[in-house]
Amino acid sequence: MSEKKAAPHGWLILDKPRGLGSTQAVSAVRRVLRQGGHAKTKVGHGGTLDPLAEGVLPIALGEATKLAGRMLDSDKIYAFAIQFGEQTDTLDTEGEIVERSDRRPPMAAIAGVLDHFTGPIEQVPPAYSAVKIDGKRAYDRARAGEAVEMKTRAVTIHSLELAGGREDAELRSAFATTAGRPDPYDPQAPLELAYSVTLVAHVSKGTYIRSLARDIAHALGTVGHVTYLRRIKAGPFLEQQAISLDKLEEIAKGAPIENLLLPLEAGLDDIPVLPLDPDSAQAVRQGRVLSELPPVQAEWADGLHLATLHDVPVALMELSGGTAKVVRGFNIPDVAE
């Protein structure tokens, strides 16, 4: 019987296809690791993507699962399409149509309204969402036919732009010249009406793109729903780093996972490194406070740091006043020791 390969620690960035749930993606990773001969490995994901959605899904392996919570709190970037004229109960293509409108907004009006949805905003999550109401998921209540009342939440839209080759300035200028019309939907007006539009949004945690699409449509005097949703960035991870399911399957056939695995610290690109000597690393692994940092390190700015030994992550540590306390330890073997 062949010897088991060591359990990996780090990130696999999946390009999740439409129709696959995030939990199913995690199961697929567990299976390929098992079939590829790896020792039992903890696996988790860094932010749910609905089955309808596609794109960047960070999968944490081993000690990187301790950082999954940080990934959930990170900003995301999405490309999404709104189809105007119909609103569904799920606010996407999977639901039943609950409202229709014959109005189609001018492209110039779409460009003009985006600023109103940029910055701190309030939004109501979809009834079909994973938000818990009295301990039960909202989508379970909605599917059971219950009337679901969702509470408004505060989110931040860092940027919201038209996708594609159009120039915002040109469209905003067109909107400014037509804003005085008594009815911007006047069929005699020389305006290009949109049956759908694709936008790119950089958003904070907790933002629902389906709700954003609904509210944009309402602000334009019509209704709409999401027909396409792709996550193109999650925290520090980009779609260029994402691998297909076919590529993932190569691990099951014995391909080295190192060719696809990003290191644990790839999820901490905004956190400075605190190099340790072997004695300090041993103390940190025992959970002890480092109270006598070398002068150079003691002068570093207070805040969260990644403590390493021979470039291997040892712990996340909080520096304050020249001392360092362990926030989260990592149990990763150091081959140099």
Side-chain angles (χ1 to χ4, degrees):
M1 186 175 180
S2 60
E3 184 177 347
K4 287 278 189 183
K5 300 175 185 176
H9 305 282
W11 300 90
L12 287 174
I13 313 304
L14 289 189
D15 191 340
K16 187 190 83 65
R18 183 170 178 156
L20 184 74
S22 299
T23 301
Q24 291 174 303
V26 168
S27 297
V29 171
R30 287 199 181 102
R31 175 182 55 78
V32 300
L33 290 176
R34 184 174 64 252
Q35 293 176 348
H38 290 273
K40 187 175 181 180
T41 305
K42 292 181 180 179
V43 183
H45 65 74
T48 300
L49 269 181
D50 293 338
L52 171 72
E54 59 183 59
V56 176
L57 179 63
I59 303 291
L61 306 182
E63 291 296 282
T65 58
K66 295 177 179 179
L67 301 176
R70 287 181 55 83
M71 199 57 56
L72 295 175
D73 290 341
S74 65
D75 291 349
K76 314 288 192 304
I77 299 180
Y78 296 90
F80 63 104
I82 310 172
Q83 180 176 311
F84 299 111
E86 295 176 341
Q87 182 170 311
T88 66
D89 53 5
T90 59
L91 304 181
D92 59 25
T93 58
E94 296 185 334
E96 300 292 329
I97 297 172
V98 294
E99 189 175 353
R100 286 186 169 91
S101 173
D102 292 333
R103 287 192 162 191
R104 301 294 181 268
M107 285 299 301
I110 295 172
V113 82
L114 298 185
D115 282 348
H116 297 288
F117 292 94
T118 304
I121 66 169
E122 301 280 329
Q123 72 169 199
V124 178
Y128 286 82
S129 66
V131 175
K132 285 190 175 182
I133 301 175
D134 296 331
K136 189 175 181 181
R137 299 289 185 188
Y139 56 66
D140 288 331
R141 293 184 179 277
R143 288 168 184 160
E146 296 182 32
V148 181
E149 185 176 347
M150 307 299 295
K151 294 182 178 179
T152 300
R153 62 167 59 184
V155 298
T156 300
I157 312 299
H158 300 291
S159 66
L160 181 60
E161 302 172 347
L162 289 158
R166 291 190 173 275
E167 293 291 335
D168 278 356
E170 176 186 337
L171 285 169
R172 290 174 193 276
S173 175
F175 177 70
T177 61
T178 60
R181 296 182 187 275
D183 183 1
Y185 295 88
D186 180 358
Q188 302 302 315
L191 298 173
E192 179 186 354
L193 301 183
Y195 287 81
S196 66
V197 68
T198 301
L199 304 173
V200 177
H202 177 190
V203 303
S204 70
K205 70 171 184 176
T207 302
Y208 278 91
I209 298 298
R210 287 175 291 152
S211 294
L212 182 61
R214 173 200 61 205
D215 296 343
I216 289 172
H218 287 174
L220 291 166
T222 185
V223 294
H225 65 279
V226 170
T227 56
Y228 169 80
L229 178 59
R230 178 173 179 80
R231 188 155 68 194
I232 57 180
K233 188 173 187 290
F237 300 122
L238 306 170
E239 62 179 339
Q240 293 90 332
Q241 298 170 296
I243 62 172
S244 66
L245 290 183
D246 287 342
K247 198 73 175 175
L248 178 69
E249 286 295 334
E250 294 179 6
I251 298 173
K253 300 172 184 176
I257 193 172
E258 292 77 17
N259 295 344
L260 303 174
L261 191 69
L262 298 180
L264 175 148
E265 56 268 30
L268 299 169
D269 67 336
D270 58 340
I271 295 178
V273 173
L274 176 68
L276 301 177
D277 58 39
D279 290 340
S280 296
Q282 181 63 22
V284 168
R285 286 170 177 153
Q286 295 171 352
R288 289 155 50 189
V289 175
L290 298 183
S291 56
E292 296 182 1
L293 294 175
V296 173
Q297 295 176 354
E299 294 175 2
W300 286 4
D302 291 348
L304 201 62
H305 289 66
L306 175 64
T308 65
L309 175 64
H310 305 138
D311 295 328
V312 175
V314 176
L316 280 177
M317 304 194 73
E318 186 74 29
L319 265 65
S320 179
T323 65
K325 296 181 179 179
V326 176
V327 174
R328 174 76 72 176
F330 302 116
N331 184 24
I332 301 177
D334 180 5
V335 295
E337 286 187 285

